[in-house]
DNA sequence: CTCATTCGTTCAATGCTTGAACTTAGTCTG
DNA sequence: CAGACTAAGTTCAAGCATTGAACGAATGAG
């Protein structure tokens, strides 16, 4: 590493600090200097290339009291954009996201992907991306791709419900089709990321729990997604709550998934689709209410175990669980209260996700905008 | 932050890099330059104050082949020293540790601490520290203090088996008695640290599991102890394995601790002390073997759950479990094999701790030497 | 004894942030 | 309306840790 590199590191670190402050909210150079602890001089210096490069714009002066009026800086409305894409069992989704956190376009296409080959799926996704980016004259930073399965080093290791994707080189495949730099990750991680970036919706230590066919948890520790050494972290679905319980497809017994998975809830409630279950719950259907309550109890046991290991203050219920939140809440919370060690003294929160069905795809796009901010050199490439 | 600070940060970071390389093994300036990626010039510059300050020594030239012989640098044999101390239910322990990782002195004193007040315990510990450091003409970097309980921000929050310590200001108390800068932490964390520092004994992602009265896990992620937001991380003892199982003192049911705690094993085996159990196992006592096997099964379920959440490749069994390792191994491993998701494809290891009963106190001292290396400015204070 | 080799030191150059001085662009007061 | 005041933004010399190249030192090989 040359000295120049050392100094460049300092500069890039400061650039990151400034960009993070801007993601939080726009601000003049003086304001940013105050917020970041850098000097006005450094801020002029750092922002100059960002303005020249079309990353930021200087707004017309704001007249606010005495002194020379400030000219707030914010992300350029025609600045770079990230693409998020989601491949799921029963739908595909795509979204475009600006550095300022604004969603530009969205598509969600219901489609049964279980039988589709990797190539077929990628063709579809690439088509959607083309639709969403067509006519948009903004630089594309890359694409995040969400998969319902375990991803490690960009490779799809395990997708219990989309078996034809296992081992496929999805990042390369989508990259070739779209010309974008593609980064693949687990949908649970990306749904969690959507609650962290660009806005903190649940602090910077939390676990986001979703149910689809399986149950997945996205774990956020210290403001970073925790993936574990091989991408298997947060497999809440296979936390054991009854060691001699129901057999699980994973080979174990008594996994949470067997008691609180969406398929189990629907079966117990005698419904086929989440929507129908929701209506039954609203109508006060006893069978539906009971099924959800029972699932909540099992989920609560698993979450309590998770909290005893990770010690995070917040659990967010997302995806299908967010839809069922009002009816799940009580039973989940009650198990947590009874089982989290010293739960009374610690302040633990259970939240329903405020993001809708676009959480995953938003997180996928956020993966890319976040990377661009954290590695500002990418913005100048 | 002034510019000077920025640059000083770079310098301190490089100093840390160099010291870490030296903890690994001694080396000449040229060797260290090669290992750290810095230049010889920088190494001369960085090591100069360390030599002047008595932190390092230059060994007499080593004749090894052609060229000017190198003068290896290593930690000064009379350099600074850290103290580790452990307060436990049935013993106290103290150790002194050099920056090079060499243990200088050790004491382990059996003593029933259950009834003792905080002041009484601290007086004892301070006495032991005085014994161990008496006549030693080396600067003391501080003391690490291990407690069997939950610690957060230096405060003892929960010590189920040493109730008189709860809320006590242990760090201040021991600091006043010894004149040392004292840092308190959980024994499970410190036992884990002993496997990470100054030598990696189990990689840099692992969980260290101990049993005393309770079961505690020290979680190491990416080479750092993971404590959670309020110090409750790694409470493996209260992971639920049978949701309608045995009632636990924590208020929950079916906690691992109720099936695999040392007290449970001893009771089931009809023994009063670990030593007697060990002899019974060696003699092939069926009751003892059965008790340990059953505990191993329960522990294995808990560990499998832990691995499904943390995704670490290695689990180290320490403390009493290390003593029982040969007889626990099979049942623990078998549950892990059956329950860790994709356990076959991931490479998971179960190890018995190579450190003896001094693991905790060594970790306590290591906390201090590690801090000194990571914050090299402390070495010059 | 001379040359090759490796270790360690010296020194000018580099490029970043800084703080202070300065310029700019407004509001406020009388 | 003019001059004082205030705050934003810019300019510039100073300070600092690393670097790379040149240099001096210490030994082995022939």
């Amino acid at each position: 590493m040359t000295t120049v590199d050392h100094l460049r590191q300092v500069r890039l670190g400061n650039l990151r600090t400034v960009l993070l402050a801007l993601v939080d909210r726009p601000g003049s150079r003086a304001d940013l200097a105050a917020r970041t602890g850098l000097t006005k001089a450094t801020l002029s210096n750092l922002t100059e290339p960002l303005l020249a490069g079309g990353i930021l714009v200087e707004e017309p002066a704001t007249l606010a009291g005495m002194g020379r009026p400030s000219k707030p800086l914010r992300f350029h409305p025609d600045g770079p954009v990230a693409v998020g894409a989601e491949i799921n069992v029963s739908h595909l989704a795509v979204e475009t996201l600006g550095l300022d956190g604004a969603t530009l376009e969205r598509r969600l296409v219901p489609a049964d992907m279980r039988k589709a080959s990797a190539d077929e799926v990628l063709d579809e996704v690439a088509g959607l991306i083309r639709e969403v980016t067509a006519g948009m004259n903004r630089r594309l930073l890359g694409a995040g791709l969400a998969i319902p399965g375990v991803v490690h080093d960009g490779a799809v290791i395990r997708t219990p419900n989309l078996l034809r994707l296992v081992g496929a080189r999805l990042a390369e495949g989508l990259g070739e089709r779209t010309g974008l730099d593609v980064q693949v990750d687990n949908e649970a991680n990306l749904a969690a990321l959507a609650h962290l970036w660009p806005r903190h919706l649940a602090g910077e230590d939390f676990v986001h729990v979703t149910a689809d066919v399986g149950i997945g948890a996205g774990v956020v520790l210290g403001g970073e997604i925790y993936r574990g050494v091989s991408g298997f972290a947060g497999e809440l679905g296979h936390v054991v709550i009854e060691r001699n319980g129901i057999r699980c497809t994973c080979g174990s017994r008594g996994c949470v998934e067997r008691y609180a998975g969406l398929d189990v809830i629907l079966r117990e409630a005698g419904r086929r689709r989440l929507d129908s279950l929701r209506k039954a719950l609203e109508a006060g259907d006893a069978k539906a209410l009971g099924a959800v309550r029972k699932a909540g109890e099992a989920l609560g046991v698993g979450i309590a175990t998770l909290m005893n290991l990770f010690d995070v203050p917040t659990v967010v219920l997302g995806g299908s669980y967010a839809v069922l939140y009002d009816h799940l809440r009580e039973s989940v919370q009650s198990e947590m209260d009874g089982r989290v060690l010293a739960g009374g003294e610690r302040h633990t929160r259970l939240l329903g996700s405020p993001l809708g069905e676009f959480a995953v795809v938003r997180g996928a796009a956020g993966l890319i905008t976040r990377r661009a901010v954290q590695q500002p050199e990418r913005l100048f490439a």
Side-chain angles (χ1 to χ4, degrees), chain A residues 3 11-12 15 33 42 48 55 98 104 120 124 140 143 182 250 315 322 342-344 347 354 359 362 369:
Chain A
T3 223
R11 187 178 175 84
L12 286 174
L15 220 34
T42 305
E48 190 273 320
I55 310 297
L104 306 175
E120 288 163 351
E124 289 272 358
L140 295 174
V182 178
C250 76
V315 172
H347 28 295
R362 186 176 167 82
T369 58

Side-chain angles (χ1 to χ4, degrees), chain A residues 116-262:
Chain A
S117 71
D119 277 331
E120 288 163 351
V121 175
L122 289 175
D123 285 341
E124 289 272 358
V125 173
L128 281 173
I129 292 178
R130 262 189 296 274
E131 273 182 42
V132 163
T133 56
M136 191 181 62
N137 196 19
R138 301 172 67 171
R139 186 157 74 87
L140 295 174
L141 291 166
L145 179 59
I147 301 291
V150 177
V151 176
H152 183 50
D153 281 343
V156 179
I157 294 180
R158 204 186 115 91
T159 49
N161 305 303
L162 289 174
L163 294 172
R164 298 188 66 182
L165 296 190
V166 179
R169 305 181 68 77
L170 296 179
E172 290 83 346
L174 190 59
E176 283 162 17
R177 270 162 250 242
T178 58
L180 295 172
D181 175 16
V182 178
Q183 196 149 5
V184 186
D185 204 343
N186 176 339
E187 60 165 354
N189 290 340
L190 294 175
L193 180 61
H195 293 77
L196 178 71
W197 180 264
R199 306 274 168 265
H200 280 46
L201 302 178
E204 57 177 30
D205 294 274
F206 64 91
V207 172
H208 178 271
V209 180
T210 346
D212 274 293
V213 182
I215 297 177
V219 180
V220 174
L221 305 179
E224 290 295 327
I225 295 178
Y226 178 70
R227 295 184 168 83
V229 279
S230 43
F232 278 85
E235 283 289 350
L236 177 59
H238 300 282
V239 162
V240 176
I241 58 175
E242 289 186 7
R243 60 168 160 167
N244 298 313
I246 303 172
R247 274 209 176 284
C248 182
T249 52
C250 76
S252 180
R253 281 172 169 277
C255 295
V256 172
E257 207 162 285
R258 293 294 123 224
Y259 303 86
L262 184 58

Side-chain angles (χ1 to χ4, degrees), chain A residues 70-87:
Chain A
S70 64
K71 289 182 277 187
L73 305 179
R74 58 185 189 80
F75 287 103
H76 197 295
D78 293 323
V81 165
V83 178
E86 176 187 4
I87 297 173

